[in-house]
Amino acid sequence: MREEIQREYRHAKTVSQFGCTCLYLMAALLGALAALTCLALPQTPDPPGAHLGVGVIKQVTSLVATISLAEFLRSFGKDGRPFGRGQSVRLTVAGSLIVLSTLLDLFTPALTWSIRLVDGSVPVNISTQPGIDPMMVTLAVFFACLALVVRYGNALKEDSDSIA
């Protein structure tokens, strides 16, 4: 049984390292987008309203949440303590930032685009409405619960280490 546990742990470490790399690549992309947004703000013809500030805050929260999740996977794959206290903190931070980002969606103004067909006389309008994405709420709740599961796993590991 011990050999099977070791094999599963090695597999989980390998997958965690791959996931960590993917998340850090995503974080680099999010960081580049946030930097480009900040560089473009002074060049907008109208004064940048609060909605642009909300957009930058949303990008930063996405970046920090992604880095927190990448660190969770990196720590799982590299450290000898995959269920340490820091792991639950990382998940809690990511979940809290997802909630913050979702709440900021309420303050994002509706956007409208108009498309005029070249040969047609029918204008097409596309608009968005501010609101909360239920999937983001689901992810935040999942991360909060997973943080508690990891905490419990850490307590079990410490208990079994004290017995041995």
Side-chain angles (χ1 to χ4, degrees):
M1 183 69 168
R2 175 98 171 126
E3 190 175 302
E4 181 180 330
I5 291 173
Q6 288 296 327
R7 184 174 57 246
E8 290 297 325
Y9 181 62
R10 282 192 306 270
H11 180 68
K13 281 176 56 171
T14 302
V15 171
S16 294
Q17 290 170 355
F18 175 75
C20 176
T21 302
C22 291
L23 287 177
Y24 271 122
L25 289 173
M26 181 58 73
L29 178 64
L30 289 170
L33 289 174
L36 287 174
T37 302
C38 289
L39 289 174
L41 284 178
Q43 299 174 7
T44 56
D46 297 327
H51 64 279
L52 291 176
V54 169
V56 170
I57 292 171
K58 281 182 57 70
Q59 288 178 340
V60 170
T61 58
S62 295
L63 175 64
V64 174
T66 302
I67 289 172
S68 181
L69 293 173
E71 278 298 301
F72 174 86
L73 293 176
R74 185 200 60 77
S75 182
F76 184 86
K78 297 282 184 188
D79 292 348
R81 295 177 29 196
F83 297 109
R85 183 168 179 79
Q87 294 291 69
S88 62
V89 171
R90 289 178 186 98
L91 290 173
T92 303
V93 166
S96 299
L97 290 173
I98 288 172
V99 167
L100 175 63
S101 179
T102 302
L103 289 175
L104 288 174
D105 284 340
L106 292 174
F107 301 106
T108 306
L111 301 174
T112 303
W113 296 274
S114 294
I115 302 171
R116 296 199 183 266
L117 302 175
V118 176
D119 291 333
S121 61
V122 179
V124 177
N125 290 322
I126 303 169
S127 66
T128 63
Q129 295 297 320
I132 293 179
D133 183 0
M135 186 61 195
M136 292 296 110
V137 175
T138 301
L139 279 175
V141 170
F142 174 77
F143 285 138
C145 293
L146 186 58
L148 293 175
V149 169
V150 167
R151 247 182 167 172
Y152 176 67
N154 185 41
L156 285 177
K157 184 176 182 325
E158 287 178 3
D159 185 53
S160 70
D161 288 349
S162 68
I163 292 172

